[in-house]
Amino acid sequence: ERVKQFINDYNEIISLISTKTGEKPSNEYPPLTPEQQDDMSEEEIKNWTKEAKKGMLYGDRKMNNILRNMREAMSGATDVSNLILSNIGISSAGMDTSGKLVLDEKVFKEKLLENPDEIARLFTNTASEAGGRSGIAVQLQTILRNNVGAYGTTGLLIEEAGMDNSMTSDRNYISEKIEEHDEKMAELKKAIERERERYWKQFSALEQSLNRLNMQSSWLTDMMGDY
């Protein structure tokens, strides 16, 4: 049952990452501006945002690396067991290119009765030499720890995007970049306002000069008319 749940969880993660990295963004739903949101209901904003978020991870390098590493961990031999998954009834799902696996419970139970210790090593043992391939579960644990973190540590993905309801939710690479862009936008707005004020003063001065010229021109015209 534990191996069955392990395979199901693995398939769920693989499916989610494959879907998100293969989902193309839509140009029909750009992010909403505050002004646009003012003219929309909460439900309309929610539905629009949902569509706008599609494709955000399309072709994402980090997510594709995780996907590739997880697939590699579940395929091939290890340095801690003479078995591979196909020996114990776990194989690739037919006609599926995402990397999902299927468990033949009958075959697995037979192999488990024959050699339970070897199967345990295939999943849980750590390679004795540096660079060796540890058991499948150990490899996956390392991949997840490196990318998501564990026991109070943060992985690559958390450092980049943060995690809800944690101190990293607003202390991560993306939030820092957003803050930098916000500060830059504020500086640009101030610069635009200064430039607008400068042009307005020039325009006002020019307008006053034109008014004086018009008055002088009118006076000259009136004077010429008298003669």
Side-chain angles (χ1 to χ4, degrees), residues 151-178:
Y151 311 117
T153 64
T154 57
L156 295 175
L157 297 182
I158 303 302
E159 290 172 359
E160 178 163 352
M163 181 180 290
D164 285 343
N165 302 318
S166 75
M167 62 184 299
T168 63
S169 60
D170 58 356
R171 291 174 58 187
N172 54 73
Y173 175 77
I174 292 178
S175 66
E176 288 173 359
K177 294 299 292 184
I178 291 174

mmCIF file of all heavy atoms in Angstrom, residues 151-178:
data_model
loop_
_atom_site.group_PDB
_atom_site.id
_atom_site.type_symbol
_atom_site.label_atom_id
_atom_site.label_comp_id
_atom_site.label_asym_id
_atom_site.label_seq_id
_atom_site.Cartn_x
_atom_site.Cartn_y
_atom_site.Cartn_z
ATOM 1 N N TYR A 151 12.766 20.832 6.670
ATOM 2 C CA TYR A 151 13.233 21.065 8.041
ATOM 3 C C TYR A 151 13.763 22.490 8.241
ATOM 4 O O TYR A 151 14.855 22.711 8.741
ATOM 5 C CB TYR A 151 14.320 20.054 8.410
ATOM 6 C CG TYR A 151 13.954 18.630 8.102
ATOM 7 C CD1 TYR A 151 14.677 17.901 7.174
ATOM 8 C CD2 TYR A 151 12.858 18.018 8.719
ATOM 9 C CE1 TYR A 151 14.333 16.591 6.865
ATOM 10 C CE2 TYR A 151 12.502 16.715 8.419
ATOM 11 C CZ TYR A 151 13.239 16.004 7.498
ATOM 12 O OH TYR A 151 12.893 14.717 7.181
ATOM 13 N N GLY A 152 12.983 23.465 7.796
ATOM 14 C CA GLY A 152 13.360 24.861 8.006
ATOM 15 C C GLY A 152 14.280 25.448 6.962
ATOM 16 O O GLY A 152 14.615 26.630 7.029
ATOM 17 N N THR A 153 14.709 24.639 5.998
ATOM 18 C CA THR A 153 15.567 25.155 4.920
ATOM 19 C C THR A 153 14.704 25.520 3.720
ATOM 20 O O THR A 153 13.552 25.107 3.615
ATOM 21 C CB THR A 153 16.617 24.114 4.493
ATOM 22 O OG1 THR A 153 15.938 22.967 3.939
ATOM 23 C CG2 THR A 153 17.455 23.683 5.676
ATOM 24 N N THR A 154 15.270 26.305 2.819
ATOM 25 C CA THR A 154 14.552 26.686 1.604
ATOM 26 C C THR A 154 15.294 26.166 0.383
ATOM 27 O O THR A 154 16.524 26.175 0.348
ATOM 28 C CB THR A 154 14.421 28.219 1.494
ATOM 29 O OG1 THR A 154 15.726 28.806 1.530
ATOM 30 C CG2 THR A 154 13.583 28.767 2.629
ATOM 31 N N GLY A 155 14.542 25.713 -0.607
ATOM 32 C CA GLY A 155 15.137 25.244 -1.851
ATOM 33 C C GLY A 155 15.088 26.324 -2.921
ATOM 34 O O GLY A 155 14.666 27.458 -2.677
ATOM 35 N N LEU A 156 15.515 25.972 -4.124
ATOM 36 C CA LEU A 156 15.605 26.929 -5.219
ATOM 37 C C LEU A 156 14.266 27.579 -5.540
ATOM 38 O O LEU A 156 14.184 28.786 -5.762
ATOM 39 C CB LEU A 156 16.157 26.230 -6.470
ATOM 40 C CG LEU A 156 17.596 25.701 -6.381
ATOM 41 C CD1 LEU A 156 17.956 24.932 -7.639
ATOM 42 C CD2 LEU A 156 18.566 26.862 -6.171
ATOM 43 N N LEU A 157 13.204 26.778 -5.573
ATOM 44 C CA LEU A 157 11.892 27.322 -5.933
ATOM 45 C C LEU A 157 11.361 28.270 -4.861
ATOM 46 O O LEU A 157 10.752 29.294 -5.176
ATOM 47 C CB LEU A 157 10.891 26.186 -6.155
ATOM 48 C CG LEU A 157 11.192 25.223 -7.305
ATOM 49 C CD1 LEU A 157 10.098 24.177 -7.426
ATOM 50 C CD2 LEU A 157 11.346 25.976 -8.626
ATOM 51 N N ILE A 158 11.581 27.916 -3.595
ATOM 52 C CA ILE A 158 11.115 28.778 -2.504
ATOM 53 C C ILE A 158 11.905 30.078 -2.499
ATOM 54 O O ILE A 158 11.351 31.158 -2.266
ATOM 55 C CB ILE A 158 11.250 28.069 -1.145
ATOM 56 C CG1 ILE A 158 10.480 26.744 -1.159
ATOM 57 C CG2 ILE A 158 10.743 28.959 -0.030
ATOM 58 C CD1 ILE A 158 9.013 26.884 -1.469
ATOM 59 N N GLU A 159 13.203 29.998 -2.762
ATOM 60 C CA GLU A 159 14.021 31.207 -2.809
ATOM 61 C C GLU A 159 13.568 32.127 -3.938
ATOM 62 O O GLU A 159 13.649 33.352 -3.830
ATOM 63 C CB GLU A 159 15.494 30.837 -3.000
ATOM 64 C CG GLU A 159 16.112 30.168 -1.763
ATOM 65 C CD GLU A 159 17.505 29.642 -2.037
ATOM 66 O OE1 GLU A 159 17.971 29.779 -3.189
ATOM 67 O OE2 GLU A 159 18.130 29.089 -1.119
ATOM 68 N N GLU A 160 13.086 31.521 -5.014
ATOM 69 C CA GLU A 160 12.658 32.341 -6.157
ATOM 70 C C GLU A 160 11.254 32.891 -5.977
ATOM 71 O O GLU A 160 11.019 34.080 -6.205
ATOM 72 C CB GLU A 160 12.708 31.518 -7.456
ATOM 73 C CG GLU A 160 12.222 32.313 -8.652
ATOM 74 C CD GLU A 160 12.621 31.710 -9.973
ATOM 75 O OE1 GLU A 160 13.403 30.741 -9.974
ATOM 76 O OE2 GLU A 160 12.158 32.203 -11.004
ATOM 77 N N ALA A 161 10.307 32.035 -5.587
ATOM 78 C CA ALA A 161 8.900 32.458 -5.568
ATOM 79 C C ALA A 161 8.278 32.540 -4.191
ATOM 80 O O ALA A 161 7.204 33.115 -4.027
ATOM 81 C CB ALA A 161 8.078 31.511 -6.446
ATOM 82 N N GLY A 162 8.915 31.959 -3.166
ATOM 83 C CA GLY A 162 8.341 31.982 -1.828
ATOM 84 C C GLY A 162 7.227 30.965 -1.664
ATOM 85 O O GLY A 162 6.865 30.252 -2.589
ATOM 86 N N MET A 163 6.674 30.920 -0.454
ATOM 87 C CA MET A 163 5.584 29.999 -0.144
ATOM 88 C C MET A 163 4.538 30.737 0.682
ATOM 89 O O MET A 163 4.876 31.519 1.579
ATOM 90 C CB MET A 163 6.113 28.785 0.635
ATOM 91 C CG MET A 163 5.034 27.770 0.976
ATOM 92 S SD MET A 163 5.709 26.346 1.884
ATOM 93 C CE MET A 163 6.657 25.539 0.582
ATOM 94 N N ASP A 164 3.260 30.485 0.361
ATOM 95 C CA ASP A 164 2.175 31.130 1.089
ATOM 96 C C ASP A 164 2.259 30.845 2.587
ATOM 97 O O ASP A 164 2.677 29.764 3.002
ATOM 98 C CB ASP A 164 0.822 30.652 0.569
ATOM 99 C CG ASP A 164 0.484 31.277 -0.782
ATOM 100 O OD1 ASP A 164 1.119 32.284 -1.135
ATOM 101 O OD2 ASP A 164 -0.395 30.748 -1.482
ATOM 102 N N ASN A 165 1.821 31.829 3.360
ATOM 103 C CA ASN A 165 1.741 31.690 4.815
ATOM 104 C C ASN A 165 3.093 31.379 5.466
ATOM 105 O O ASN A 165 3.172 30.613 6.429
ATOM 106 C CB ASN A 165 0.726 30.607 5.205
ATOM 107 C CG ASN A 165 -0.655 30.898 4.652
ATOM 108 O OD1 ASN A 165 -1.110 32.039 4.686
ATOM 109 N ND2 ASN A 165 -1.321 29.879 4.135
ATOM 110 N N SER A 166 4.151 31.924 4.891
ATOM 111 C CA SER A 166 5.478 31.764 5.486
ATOM 112 C C SER A 166 6.238 33.069 5.316
ATOM 113 O O SER A 166 5.818 33.962 4.571
ATOM 114 C CB SER A 166 6.248 30.615 4.818
ATOM 115 O OG SER A 166 6.704 30.998 3.540
ATOM 116 N N MET A 167 7.374 33.178 6.002
ATOM 117 C CA MET A 167 8.151 34.406 5.920
ATOM 118 C C MET A 167 8.727 34.628 4.523
ATOM 119 O O MET A 167 9.163 35.734 4.200
ATOM 120 C CB MET A 167 9.280 34.376 6.954
ATOM 121 C CG MET A 167 10.294 33.262 6.758
ATOM 122 S SD MET A 167 11.534 33.218 8.066
ATOM 123 C CE MET A 167 12.293 34.826 7.867
ATOM 124 N N THR A 168 8.727 33.568 3.678
ATOM 125 C CA THR A 168 9.261 33.709 2.322
ATOM 126 C C THR A 168 8.216 34.230 1.344
ATOM 127 O O THR A 168 8.528 34.484 0.184
ATOM 128 C CB THR A 168 9.783 32.355 1.798
ATOM 129 O OG1 THR A 168 8.700 31.421 1.719
ATOM 130 C CG2 THR A 168 10.872 31.800 2.698
ATOM 131 N N SER A 169 6.953 34.378 1.784
ATOM 132 C CA SER A 169 5.890 34.795 0.864
ATOM 133 C C SER A 169 6.168 36.180 0.276
ATOM 134 O O SER A 169 5.771 36.477 -0.849
ATOM 135 C CB SER A 169 4.532 34.797 1.570
ATOM 136 O OG SER A 169 4.546 35.694 2.666
ATOM 137 N N ASP A 170 6.843 37.046 1.039
ATOM 138 C CA ASP A 170 7.205 38.365 0.523
ATOM 139 C C ASP A 170 8.705 38.634 0.638
ATOM 140 O O ASP A 170 9.151 39.777 0.548
ATOM 141 C CB ASP A 170 6.421 39.459 1.252
ATOM 142 C CG ASP A 170 6.653 39.443 2.755
ATOM 143 O OD1 ASP A 170 7.365 38.536 3.226
ATOM 144 O OD2 ASP A 170 6.134 40.333 3.440
ATOM 145 N N ARG A 171 9.462 37.558 0.851
ATOM 146 C CA ARG A 171 10.920 37.672 0.903
ATOM 147 C C ARG A 171 11.523 36.612 -0.012
ATOM 148 O O ARG A 171 12.026 35.594 0.420
ATOM 149 C CB ARG A 171 11.435 37.496 2.334
ATOM 150 C CG ARG A 171 11.061 38.646 3.263
ATOM 151 C CD ARG A 171 11.472 38.355 4.695
ATOM 152 N NE ARG A 171 12.906 38.103 4.820
ATOM 153 C CZ ARG A 171 13.486 37.699 5.934
ATOM 154 N NH1 ARG A 171 12.747 37.473 7.015
ATOM 155 N NH2 ARG A 171 14.788 37.494 5.978
ATOM 156 N N ASN A 172 11.441 36.871 -1.300
ATOM 157 C CA ASN A 172 11.967 35.950 -2.303
ATOM 158 C C ASN A 172 12.433 36.747 -3.513
ATOM 159 O O ASN A 172 12.229 37.966 -3.581
ATOM 160 C CB ASN A 172 10.904 34.912 -2.696
ATOM 161 C CG ASN A 172 9.615 35.569 -3.149
ATOM 162 O OD1 ASN A 172 9.543 36.120 -4.234
ATOM 163 N ND2 ASN A 172 8.584 35.521 -2.296
ATOM 164 N N TYR A 173 13.055 36.054 -4.453
ATOM 165 C CA TYR A 173 13.645 36.729 -5.613
ATOM 166 C C TYR A 173 12.596 37.497 -6.410
ATOM 167 O O TYR A 173 12.807 38.655 -6.785
ATOM 168 C CB TYR A 173 14.338 35.698 -6.506
ATOM 169 C CG TYR A 173 14.882 36.271 -7.794
ATOM 170 C CD1 TYR A 173 16.070 37.002 -7.805
ATOM 171 C CD2 TYR A 173 14.201 36.094 -8.995
ATOM 172 C CE1 TYR A 173 16.567 37.543 -8.977
ATOM 173 C CE2 TYR A 173 14.689 36.634 -10.176
ATOM 174 C CZ TYR A 173 15.874 37.354 -10.171
ATOM 175 O OH TYR A 173 16.348 37.898 -11.341
ATOM 176 N N ILE A 174 11.440 36.865 -6.657
ATOM 177 C CA ILE A 174 10.413 37.507 -7.475
ATOM 178 C C ILE A 174 9.852 38.737 -6.776
ATOM 179 O O ILE A 174 9.685 39.796 -7.402
ATOM 180 C CB ILE A 174 9.288 36.503 -7.814
ATOM 181 C CG1 ILE A 174 9.821 35.423 -8.768
ATOM 182 C CG2 ILE A 174 8.092 37.221 -8.444
ATOM 183 C CD1 ILE A 174 8.811 34.361 -9.115
ATOM 184 N N SER A 175 9.553 38.619 -5.465
ATOM 185 C CA SER A 175 9.007 39.771 -4.746
ATOM 186 C C SER A 175 10.023 40.914 -4.694
ATOM 187 O O SER A 175 9.658 42.088 -4.770
ATOM 188 C CB SER A 175 8.591 39.368 -3.325
ATOM 189 O OG SER A 175 9.708 38.995 -2.554
ATOM 190 N N GLU A 176 11.312 40.569 -4.579
ATOM 191 C CA GLU A 176 12.352 41.594 -4.574
ATOM 192 C C GLU A 176 12.432 42.301 -5.922
ATOM 193 O O GLU A 176 12.600 43.522 -5.984
ATOM 194 C CB GLU A 176 13.705 40.979 -4.221
ATOM 195 C CG GLU A 176 13.824 40.561 -2.753
ATOM 196 C CD GLU A 176 15.106 39.802 -2.470
ATOM 197 O OE1 GLU A 176 15.885 39.582 -3.431
ATOM 198 O OE2 GLU A 176 15.336 39.439 -1.300
ATOM 199 N N LYS A 177 12.298 41.529 -7.015
ATOM 200 C CA LYS A 177 12.320 42.128 -8.349
ATOM 201 C C LYS A 177 11.105 43.022 -8.556
ATOM 202 O O LYS A 177 11.202 44.091 -9.159
ATOM 203 C CB LYS A 177 12.357 41.034 -9.425
ATOM 204 C CG LYS A 177 13.627 40.206 -9.443
ATOM 205 C CD LYS A 177 14.858 41.045 -9.723
ATOM 206 C CE LYS A 177 14.906 41.589 -11.125
ATOM 207 N NZ LYS A 177 16.168 42.329 -11.404
ATOM 208 N N ILE A 178 9.937 42.580 -8.043
ATOM 209 C CA ILE A 178 8.731 43.397 -8.141
ATOM 210 C C ILE A 178 8.926 44.708 -7.389
ATOM 211 O O ILE A 178 8.544 45.787 -7.866
ATOM 212 C CB ILE A 178 7.512 42.629 -7.596
ATOM 213 C CG1 ILE A 178 7.163 41.461 -8.530
ATOM 214 C CG2 ILE A 178 6.305 43.561 -7.442
ATOM 215 C CD1 ILE A 178 6.067 40.561 -8.008
#
